[in-house]
């Protein structure tokens, strides 16, 4: 590794009154497996390594960050009962599973996140490589710093999803969905929980603006007369403002038809919305509160998952995210109705600290913790986890 | 802005043994919109800006301040379910509502508070201007530092309420109610929860006495032989001691008849008192525990609101206050039975930091947070919020 | 006040290996009313004023002090509903009540405590004077530093109780009960919860031994050949070891017959023991866990009071103590079934800081807080408080 | 005592890349009774006295140590009701009991723990002597630093158990069980909850490897061609990896038949596993979550004990451990269904601070606390404790 920091030429468009941002955004160029004790302590390492505004944007949650915290602490209210006479060999533990026909070496996938160039100079390309190494799947955000083509070329033959933030401009929607199809995306993650940006105070305090452009928006800008902002120098609320806000079931049908790909509707937290989305044709449901970044008064996702799973009733598979930081959290989400579990911020932390290999290290660490939990909880396979009953304090009131 | 601090000629009547107060009370003269990250962090800014006794009087609560804290933290026990398929455009969100026939641009009004000259040299006049700018309504306290005429003249044509602390002397009551009617008050807020001052330890420790006179009491003193204290140099308990204490339903009828105005009975926390007040003729109920300043063992207002709303059963509208610091709190109060939501201390903090414009900034900030919560919670109007079901931890026990 | 500290001639019998106690015990001689903000903050004032061992003995609780803390914090789980239309004048509030035929100006009495010479040079004599000044009743411990005659002479004509720690030696029991009767005690408080001393770690760490003799034990030692320890130089466990341990209902009958006085059985926390004591002839029940000094795993007294009151069913009056630090706590205990409420440690703190007047200051401060709570909670008399319904969080779950 | 620290010749096999462990492991040689205020504060004393890696190995728990903490804090949710009229003399309190036909002076036994040479140079031999002195029973771990013969010879005639970690190599199992039988073990503790090592972060951070060999593994290595690691220089996961993982009921039958001794199945936390073990022939059940060292998401043992006791229904006796640090904890475990209660880490702390006498001091301290709790809770014998009803907060909701 020659140099850890690449000086990008990105110049922040300092729009804020009286506060100029750093002239160049310095992204990490770290490469290599990283030693992880636990995912929580990675955060401080990354903080020491990243510009304040970028770190605030990645780490932050909405308002008082109650939801950001409760997403993780709510897992502690669920107990896994130790089981010891099931006759399981450690070497027989099996994390393999399948999602929408795609074979996965682990039930842990990556949640799509915008602007991964903030974490690493190679951005989404490195993440895609890392997830492929882990035998899992990469998802590219509409607001990524790399194009669909770039990530498709990164790991030829490996599956990836494309996360759509619909635009108010249907020409963009048609353009980007045709790109996704052309370059081989295996499904469209249609995010519906971001009709407006959550009130994230770190971004307000830091007056954060994206220092790097969103490659897909820039590509579209070149071929259209759409005057939309393309990321660089824009604040988050400006980006959200040009995105589509008023989602209805008809939008799900539109995306399905336009893309011809499976549509995973992301940002569901209520049983009602889950049912509506499925009836509108959703091929999978993604239970998420956007990692506590949107509605701070929302319940923790693990708290709402059982009721959603009941309503979904296996009509479509369920992806789960928000707050997952331990192998035990993955276990509990699977045992509460999820089919696969997605990880967000820790992936970017791994990316920042070790590039593609760092991303893989994060997944491998979670796999390791998950396997220990499976062994001690008496579950040999993902299906065994899903059949496991969890306990709460109420279970022990006699 | 020429000078931030105006040296008033107010000389504290240092009655306490051995402790002399500052000779002059220095009130803020700040003018202009203020930048707000959140309402909570305004408190420290104001504290750095205000004399200790005055700040203690404004900020403080009763006894251990359990109720002061729980009024706000109790909101965290209620969840808003994120909803994402309701087809709402941000530009269609509508905060307009109506209260006692008065049209409001926001469901957020200002709670009447005494002695606003402590926060700003222009006192209640600036607050009235700020609330008018926000398209909401101002309420003047009997213990204000400005007369009814002064605030009525501040914003001609704009609606305001007058908050009555009844006196033991009916001559005063008749005088002040006739003033309220003469100068155009749209209703009388009859405060019944302050038959004695709560035991506020900051005031005891600071030996706090009002450094400025109460304009309405001073005006009455000039035309009567009533020997009552008129504020300046008096402690809070001296002021409360000369106010009426023994409230009964007959007092509500008296105020209605005497003023000929709608009477809003403020300081209701039990369903029983709500029913009694309505049967006595109250035109509206104001659910409040005086911001945790009275009975420290009282429950949080948001905890008692649903039971009160059930008893009120839409016979009269409900105002709600105590502890509201977030747009989400406004949302939750409306969803629990309130028709409008009042804000206290933060208004004085805005007044202190920016005069009339600062007051408006506070309302605008809350409006902004509220709209984000409406968008993410799937409510387009105030009525939609009122029809929204809130969740608690008990909702997620399966 | 000439001098705040009197050098007593008490010489500690330093029995501990390698650690010598201070040669003389220096007790406070402070005299005069004290300014109290709240009872909690008195503790730090006293700590700065008292030898470490003595302070540890007075303040400390058993084991982890869970019970010491929960006795007070459990009050916070009960709410008083603000009531505002009951037509009560502050001047009409009435704290007077009656206990075992004794008229009291306040429902707040003093809990008997050993070794009050630790807090003040005049010890129990000053406490007796202070309680008389407050229009309440004093109780002398068997392990007091003053004799029954001394406290009876302190305030001739004023009622007092004698708290009996039964001895294994019946000659002592007969002697002391006849003294109590001879000098006019109005009742015997028979403490049954101290069959062994709780495991109080401060006393262990400080290797605490009483620096002053127990006057009643010393008096008996002069007229008997009983070789018992009489306090000075003894550890608490040595004192407890010579006291009677194996209490049965027959002991209650013995004390009643021997004294011919009403017997108040102190140290009841279970409904079963309350019923047993009443059936054995108890004239009153004293609900107490000894201020968290005995069984650290015990529930808070306010938590068990309702069930005890239900079983007692008004057959005899109920005294309540342990953890009371606020007027609101007195209110809540009375509303939960108590007839009078006793205060322990804060009385010694008042004694330490102001002698007899300091004791009175403590009662007056609590009376003041209590009256504010009565006014705001809508209760005019002690009987009104007792008829008040308290609320808990469960009341507000809808 | 000539020297507190014996320089052992143990040389750590520094296998970790770039980090060399201390060349010699310095174990305590302290001898003599220790003064104990409480068990909790012993931990800091030991920490100051022991190498970081060894202390981390002994103290640490899995992952976030939620289970490590909750094992102890869960006891605080159970209350012991003070009882005062049962007529009990302190001198009549009786801690004697019996387990599997072995007479014990206390219901408190020692939990088997590996590698006691880390705590003291005499290791398990000193622990065995200390437990004999306390009139209780010692258990030797397969991974002890002393052989079965050494601990049997330490206290001829005194009972001990042997804790079996089954090997994947049945030759070892046969060898070690025949040794246990030959040297007089009274029973086999068959640990089934360690099919994999819990994820203990202190060991990861310290890169901990055992500095001393496991005597029983070394003895077997000398007589076999088994290439297993024998402790010294090995990490915990390497040791666990060569142990048997896939436990089934058949293994219980195998150990019973092979040893001809009573088999106590240790590491049961679910009622289902308890029933399975008993049906497979277990002579006793040991309820344990390995002191919070295995599955961090497990419930506290005291929380699951009642449901297990109900299923066991007195078919076999129940041993209980994990989190016990107070006499009151012993009381509560017995009152919740346990027959004897085992102590882990505090035994090693006593061993470290005082050798055999230190071990005895720990038991005596717990006995002392337990007796105070019995006296104040109205229980004269172990059977009385077992018949005692515990209370929870729910008991006091009216």
């Amino acid at each position: 590794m020659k140099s850890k920091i690449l000086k990008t030429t990105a110049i922040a468009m300092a729009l804020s009154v009286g506060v100029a941002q750093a002239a160049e955004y310095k992204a990490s160029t770290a490469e290599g497996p990283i030693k992880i004790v636990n995912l929580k302590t990675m955060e401080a390492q990354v903080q020491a390594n990243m510009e304040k505004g970028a770190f605030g944007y990645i780490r932050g949650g909405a308002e008082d960050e109650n939801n950001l915290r409760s997403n993780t602490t709510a897992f502690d209210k669920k107990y896994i009962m130790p089981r010891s006479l099931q006759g399981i060999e450690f070497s027989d533990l099996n994390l393999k599973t399948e999602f929408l026909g795609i074979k996965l070496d682990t039930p842990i996938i990556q949640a799509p996140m915008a602007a991964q160039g903030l974490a690493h100079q190679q951005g989404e390309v490195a993440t895609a490589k890392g997830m492929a190494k882990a035998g899992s799947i990469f998802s590219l955000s509409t607001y990524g710093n790399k194009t669909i083509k770039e990530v498709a070329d990164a790991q030829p033959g490996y599956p990836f999803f494309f996360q759509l933030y619909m635009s108010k401009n249907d020409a963009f929607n048609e353009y980007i969905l045709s790109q996704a199809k052309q370059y081989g995306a295996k499904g469209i993650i249609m995010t519906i929980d971001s009709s407006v940006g959550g009130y994230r105070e770190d971004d307000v305090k830091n007056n954060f603006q994206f220092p790097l452009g969103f490659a897909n928006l820039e590509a579209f800008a070149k071929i259209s007369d759409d005057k939309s902002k393309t990321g660089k120098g824009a604040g988050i609320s400006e980006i959200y403002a040009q995105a589509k806000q008023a989602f209805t079931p008809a939008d799900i049908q539109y995306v399905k038809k336009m893309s011809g790909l499976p549509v995973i509707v992301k940002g569901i937290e209520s049983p009602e919305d889950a049912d509506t989305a499925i009836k509108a044709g959703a091929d999978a449901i993604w239970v998420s509160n956007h990692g506590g970044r949107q509605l701070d008064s929302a319940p923790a996702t693990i708290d709402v998952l059982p009721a959603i799973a009941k309503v979904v009733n296996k009509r479509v598979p369920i992806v789960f995210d928000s707050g997952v930081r331990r192998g035990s959290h993955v276990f509990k989400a699977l045992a509460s109705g999820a089919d696969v579990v997605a990880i967000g911020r820790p992936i970017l932390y791994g990316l920042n600290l070790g590039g593609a290999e760092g991303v893989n290290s994060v997944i491998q660490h979670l796999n390791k913790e998950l396997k220990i939990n499976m062994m001690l909880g008496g579950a040999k396979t993902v299906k065994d986890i899903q059949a496991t009953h969890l306990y709460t304090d109420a279970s022990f009131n006699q």
Side-chain angles (χ1 to χ4, degrees), chain A:
Chain A
M1 191 184 338
K2 287 181 185 169
S3 145
K4 261 205 126 166
I5 302 294
L6 180 82
K7 288 182 177 120
T8 74
T9 56
I11 297 176
M13 310 287 280
L15 297 178
S16 67
V17 182
V19 176
Q21 288 205 344
E24 305 180 72
Y25 184 77
K26 295 171 185 174
S28 165
T29 59
E31 295 287 353
I34 53 180
K35 183 163 187 195
I36 296 173
V37 175
N38 60 51
L39 267 49
K40 195 164 111 187
T41 49
M42 295 177 73
E43 198 161 88
Q45 290 175 266
V46 171
Q47 183 167 23
N49 214 22
M50 198 183 278
E51 293 196 6
K52 190 180 180 184
F55 179 74
Y57 168 70
I58 291 172
R59 187 213 60 79
E63 302 184 9
D64 293 313
E65 301 192 337
N66 286 326
N67 192 225
L68 174 62
R69 284 186 297 275
S70 73
N71 274 337
T72 296
T73 58
F75 286 108
D76 293 343
K77 299 183 295 179
K78 313 261 180 185
Y79 301 108
I80 303 170
M81 185 65 82
R83 297 303 300 272
S84 303
L85 289 163
Q86 332 305 109
I88 302 173
E89 290 290 349
F90 194 80
S91 55
D92 287 347
L93 294 179
N94 187 347
L95 298 184
K96 286 185 196 301
T97 190
E98 201 178 301
F99 176 63
L100 293 178
I102 302 160
K103 289 187 193 308
L104 302 168
D105 287 348
T106 170
I108 304 167
I109 69 170
Q110 169 247 12
M113 288 168 290
Q116 302 193 4
L118 297 174
H120 194 276
Q121 185 263 344
Q122 290 184 37
E124 290 80 0
V125 164
T127 309
K129 286 180 182 168
M131 292 307 296
K133 196 163 187 97
S136 186
I137 191 162
F138 169 74
S139 299
L140 175 69
S141 169
T142 299
Y143 302 146
N145 297 125
K146 300 287 177 188
T147 61
I148 297 177
K149 181 175 188 312
E150 285 172 309
V151 301
D153 290 349
Q155 287 294 123
Y158 271 86
F160 70 95
F161 292 136
F162 177 71
Q163 180 207 25
L164 175 67
Y165 280 99
M166 286 182 81
S167 172
K168 287 203 174 78
N169 180 358
D170 266 345
F172 175 79
N173 297 329
E174 288 174 31
Y175 163 77
I176 201 73
L177 289 174
S178 71
Q179 290 274 309
K181 189 156 192 186
Q182 175 181 344
Y183 292 109
K186 298 296 182 200
I188 303 299
I189 301 169
M190 180 181 168
T191 295
I192 60 170
D193 65 3
S194 301
S195 53
V196 65
Y199 186 66
R200 301 174 205 159
E201 301 190 356
D202 275 6
D203 292 340
V204 173
K205 284 185 273 190
N206 295 331
N207 193 23
F208 178 70
Q209 289 146 3
F210 291 104
L212 305 168
F214 298 159
N216 294 298
L217 273 56
E218 289 175 335
F220 180 69
K222 283 181 193 156
I223 59 167
S224 77
D225 58 356
D226 180 291
K227 301 296 182 205
S228 294
K229 302 230 168 219
T230 56
K232 198 160 153 180
I236 300 144
S237 54
E238 294 173 284
I239 298 299
Y240 275 131
Q242 63 199 28
K244 183 179 176 66
Q245 297 169 327
F247 289 102
T248 65
D251 295 307
I252 298 173
Q253 289 154 358
Y254 168 90
V255 175
K256 268 180 84 86
K257 184 182 294 180
M258 191 63 61
S259 68
L261 292 169
V263 173
I264 307 154
V265 179
K266 176 169 181 286
I268 298 281
E269 242 201 320
S270 70
E272 294 84 351
D273 280 354
D275 192 57
T276 302
I278 295 170
K279 284 179 177 156
D283 298 284
I285 289 295
W286 191 309
V287 175
S288 172
N289 55 34
H290 219 100
R293 295 163 79 84
Q294 290 292 94
L295 183 58
D296 195 34
S297 290
T301 45
I302 190 68
D303 281 338
V304 295
L305 178 57
I308 294 173
K310 197 172 170 189
V311 162
V312 170
N313 197 22
K314 300 192 186 302
R315 286 179 285 171
V316 299
I318 296 175
V319 189
F320 173 90
D321 78 22
S322 298
V324 175
R325 297 295 180 272
R326 284 280 183 194
S328 63
H329 301 170
V330 177
F331 189 110
K332 290 171 188 179
L334 293 170
S336 300
D339 292 287
V340 289
V341 175
I343 309 293
R345 295 175 183 87
I347 295 284
L348 293 190
Y349 298 158
L351 178 64
N352 178 258
L353 297 170
E357 286 289 354
V359 167
N360 184 36
S361 294
V362 168
I363 302 292
Q364 296 313 328
H365 180 79
L366 282 173
N367 284 348
K368 178 178 162 186
E369 284 189 15
L370 176 58
K371 284 170 87 170
I372 293 174
N373 276 268
M374 290 169 75
M375 193 71 186
L376 298 173
K380 198 161 67 177
T381 64
V382 171
K383 285 214 178 319
D384 287 348
I385 300 173
Q386 291 179 306
T388 299
H389 175 70
L390 300 180
Y391 292 76
T392 66
D393 281 337
S395 315
F396 308 121
N397 289 344
Q398 23 155 17

